[in-house]
């Protein structure tokens, strides 16, 4: 292979940066009423207290898996505990006392109230210094969260996030203190344009918890001050020592001299030809210079037999693993390309004999097993892939021998350093990029630019056929520079509290927090505990995933489990949130069933949903960028806990069934709901109708609230609509209080162009009509349609199963070459209808088979399939099947659908 050269400067640790911002306090520090000479003394005292409390804390649901010493070493109490934090209520009491001082200074109001949700759509990219300082599976950019905090809270308020991930809610809370940066200017401008005034700047406090010790460790580092001077000196010292001890492993020959520093090495699977049985290197056979990419079909170099990636069987080898002192059978990899640096230039070439001999020497080099993670992969969905395809059952097998040795030495030095917390932040930012999961960026390999390392495939433990081994030595400086760039935007004092805890149970008093922002797991999107098993093995404290709120068949966690656990989480949120205060739920999932689960869980515990808006994080995940079924926009649910006044009304109603009392409670509920809905939504100089003000949604909210409070529904839908018209003011199909109606009329005159009320999707037929309306002006992609679809989706009739959006699109619409869906012309529509009818009849056949069983019950069915099946049976005079199926489906579905009931009544009279 010919050499390629790239101009590049020598790697630098970035230690030339002179700005020294806030550091840990060197003088006296006071926390929770206790004064210490410095933070080291504070830390020592509270670690001793935490150790004393650990036996009791271990009984709390979600307590992590780990030894006491490791939990204590990872913690920085009382601000951060790698277990449930026993000082939460003490902090809350202290912060509540601080509020009185802020009120005395005129920095906050005693009668502060938020009557409308933040309804504007938010667009905020991920490419900011804070976001990129440390990777994680999911993360909401903190400037996006700032908008919600500034709207729903005032300085001194207490914010909670029970699924905090990397702690961006905490970062956002402290970033609300006034400072001069581009985010503040942008947010101020948005607020002035949307609500007519500037936000109330000032620091808020946050309590951030997560089930994952890895996530909470990152969160702690994002939310605690950094001693830059100490960080730089310790990083420089460790870097120098690491080069002295490990530099020999990353050298190569240049001009026949052992010089240079290896940046990364590409390895390749070894394949076995199923025709001749010989081994060949997958890279050499499948990678084409002429085609500038990977070939779909390639030949065995020995017998010329044609292969694809699927037919070329991977070669395994049996080797002795001295880490576990056992023989293992693992995938066979060989080095094929390496890149190293000499005098500021990156040079690419094939490995030489010197490089191969060096790898053999490294294989024989001893390793200190005390400082590497000797841990089996947990049972799970994601962990099965490396077990089956690679023979990897242990965490350490995800690293090359070279990187494993270097990481073990680096880990030991960090563990024994003067600043282990921040250095561990750098270390965990490196270990993912040091695994064999890193992929070759094929396009950049052939065309240059942007680097070869495409990173790992997000949301998986996938090891590609061409793993990229990235030098541990090269990464340290990069990670330090990223943290130094983020540091000016991060908290410069300990003002937030971080813990490892389950969202199902919080050690906090009832009605103790002012606002909740939360980004919970959504169904089976991401198996956090499985993916975190690699970094947590290094931390020596791992997730207790027994109550992890996800769908995971390998863990026996069904959709019903997910729904029930989310309901428990929101019930706990409801308990700790003060009456009349708000919760914001960030949602990212393409499944309508999960969307319904979330909304159902929120309303069933007592929250009232006021608005659904979108959050565009711009740069999507790998899946959202490369697939047509993933979406780039998340949804934001705004809901509130009823006020004390409304809850008192219901308490009075429990004492009496008087009709007048019930009417007053109904009126009080609707009035409070209307006052908390946006009067109007303006996007791109257009007035958008507020769907939550429609009679259907208002009635749904009323039903949910009455049922949650253990009361019978006060009136049916028609009575409720009469009640609305008699009590409130109607405008454009929406209802307002008298005061809101005046405001609405004024705003409508200013912005006359009106986007009409949405057509709600409560059935498959509604969905087809909704899509026709959306596509009538122009074709749209699934990614364009899905966020809007979710916002207009409402609960279907009991027993009706609405198909997913993609299925309805495929059965009723056509797609162009740009993956945009459009309405078919009459001829194509007829053909589509024939195909769709056949599919529906196949589905109806499964209902017939279920109904023929002696005790067969059909708990849920697709309404359109039933209609099509009944129609077909009617035409064929098969009345018995109509009756048999009709008797086995949910009776509410049969009796509430005019079409089904008509066929059923006719069939009953004919047999």
């Amino acid at each position: 292979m010919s050499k390629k050269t790239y101009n590049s400067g020598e790697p630098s640790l970035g230690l030339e940066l002179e700005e020294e911002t806030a550091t840990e306090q060197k003088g006296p520090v006071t926390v929770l009423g206790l004064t210490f000479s410095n933070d080291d003394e504070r830390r020592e005292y509270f670690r001793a207290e935490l150790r004393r409390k650990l036996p009791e804390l271990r009984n709390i649901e979600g307590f992590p898996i780990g030894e006491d010493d490791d939990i204590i070493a990872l913690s920085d109490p009382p601000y951060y505990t790698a277990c449930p934090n026993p000082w939460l209520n003490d902090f809350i009491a202290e912060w509540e006392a601080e509020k009185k001082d802020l009120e005395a200074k005129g920095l906050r109001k005693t009668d502060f109230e938020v009557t409308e949700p933040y309804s504007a759509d938010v667009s905020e990219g991920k490419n900011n210094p804070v976001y990129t300082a440390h990777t994680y599976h999911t993360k909401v950019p903190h400037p996006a969260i700032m908008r919600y905090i500034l709207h729903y809270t005032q300085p001194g308020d207490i914010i909670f996030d029970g699924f905090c991930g990397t702690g961006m809610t905490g970062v956002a809370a402290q970033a609300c203190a006034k400072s001069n940066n581009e985010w503040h200017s942008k947010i101020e401008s948005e607020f002035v344009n949307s609500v007519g005034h500037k936000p109330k700047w000032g620091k808020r406090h946050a309590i951030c918890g997560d089930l994952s010790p890895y996530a909470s460790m990152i969160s702690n580092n994002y939310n605690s001050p950094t001693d830059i001077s100490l960080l730089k000196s310790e990083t420089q010292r460790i870097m120098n020592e690491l080069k002295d001890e490990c530099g020999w492993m990353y050298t190569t020959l240049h001009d026949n001299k052992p010089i240079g520093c290896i940046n990364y090495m590409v390895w390749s699977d070894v394949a076995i030809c199923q025709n001749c049985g010989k081994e060949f290197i997958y890279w050499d056979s499948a990678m084409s210079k002429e085609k500038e990419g990977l070939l779909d079909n390639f030949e065995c170099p020995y017998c010329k037999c044609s292969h694809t990636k699927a037919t070329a069987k991977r070669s395994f080898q049996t080797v002795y693993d001295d880490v576990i002192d056992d023989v293992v059978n693992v995938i066979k990899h060989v080095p094929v390309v390496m890149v190293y640096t000499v005098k500021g230039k990156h040079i690419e070439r094939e490995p030489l004999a010197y490089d191969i001999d060096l790898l053999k020497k490294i294989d024989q080099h001893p390793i200190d097993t005390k400082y590497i993670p000797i841990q089996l992969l947990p049972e799970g969905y994601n962990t099965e892939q490396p077990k089956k395809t690679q023979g990897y059952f242990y965490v350490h097998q995800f690293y090359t021998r070279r990187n494993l040795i270097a990481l073990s030495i680096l880990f030991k030095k960090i563990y024994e350093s003067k600043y282990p917390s921040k250095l561990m932040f750098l270390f965990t930012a490196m270990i993912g990029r040091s695994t064999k999961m890193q992929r070759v960026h094929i396009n950049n390999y052939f065309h240059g630019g942007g680097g070869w390392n495409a990173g790992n495939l997000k949301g998986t433990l996938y090891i590609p056929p061409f793993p990229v081994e990235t030098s541990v030595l090269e990464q340290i400086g990069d990670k330090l520079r990223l943290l130094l760039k983020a540091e000016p935007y991060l908290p410069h004092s300990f003002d937030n509290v971080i813990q490892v805890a389950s969202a199902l149970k919080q050690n906090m008093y009832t009605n103790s927090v002012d606002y909740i922002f939360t980004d919970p797991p959504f169904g089976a999107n991401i198996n956090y505990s499985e993916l975190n098993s690699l970094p947590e093995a290094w931390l020596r404290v791992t997730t207790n995933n027994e109550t992890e709120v996800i769908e995971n068949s390998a863990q026996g966690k069904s959709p019903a489990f997910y729904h029930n656990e989310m309901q428990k989480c929101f019930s706990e949120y409801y308990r700790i949130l003060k009456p009349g205060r708000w919760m914001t739920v960030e949602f990212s999932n393409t499944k309508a069933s999960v969307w319904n689960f979330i909304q159902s869980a929120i309303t069933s515990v007592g929250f009232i949903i006021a608005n659904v808006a979108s959050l565009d994080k711009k740069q999507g995940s790998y899946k959202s960028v490369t697939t047509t079924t993933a979406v780039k926009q998340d949804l934001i649910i705004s809901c509130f806990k009823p006020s004390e006044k409304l809850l008192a009304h219901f308490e009075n109603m429990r004492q009496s069934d008087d009709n007048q009392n019930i009417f007053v409670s109904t009126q009080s509920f609707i009035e409070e709901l209307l006052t908390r809905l946006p009067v109007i939504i303006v996007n791109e100089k257009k007035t958008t109708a507020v769907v939550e003000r429609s009679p259907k949604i208002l009635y749904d909210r009323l039903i949910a609230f009455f049922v949650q409070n253990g009361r019978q529904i006060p009136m049916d839908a028609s009575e409720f609509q009469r009640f609305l018209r008699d009590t409130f003011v109607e405008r454009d199909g929406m209802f307002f209080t008298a005061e809101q109606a005046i405001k609405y009329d004024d705003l409508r005159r200013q912005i006359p162009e009106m986007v009409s009320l949405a057509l709600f999707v409560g059935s498959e037929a509604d969905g087809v009509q909704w899509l026709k309306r959306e596509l009538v002006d122009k074709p749209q992609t699934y990614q364009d349609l899905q966020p809007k679809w979710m916002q207009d989706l409402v609960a279907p009739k009991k027993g009706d199963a609405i198909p997913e959006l993609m299925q309805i699109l495929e059965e009723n619409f056509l797609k162009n070459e740009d993956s945009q869906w459009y309405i078919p012309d009459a001829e194509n529509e007829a053909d589509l209808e024939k195909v769709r009818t056949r599919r529906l009849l196949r589905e109806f056949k499964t209902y017939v088979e279920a109904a023929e069983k002696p005790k067969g019950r059909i708990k849920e069915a697709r309404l359109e399939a039933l209609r099509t099946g009944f129609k077909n049976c009617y035409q064929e005079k098969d009345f018995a099947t109509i009756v048999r199926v009709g008797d086995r489906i949910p009776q509410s579905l049969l009796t509430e659908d005019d079409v089904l009931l008509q066929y059923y009544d006719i069939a009953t009279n004919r047999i």
Side-chain angles (χ1 to χ4, degrees), residues 10 139 195 280 410 679:
E10 291 290 349
K139 198 187 298 185
V195 297
F280 62 92
L410 175 59
V679 171

Side-chain angles (χ1 to χ4, degrees), residues 326-346:
D326 199 1
V327 174
V328 295
N329 191 39
V330 294
I331 194 76
K332 190 173 184 178
H333 286 125
V334 295
V336 290
V337 180
M338 61 187 304
V339 175
Y340 62 96
T341 301
V342 175
K343 295 181 179 180
K345 292 184 178 181
H346 288 333

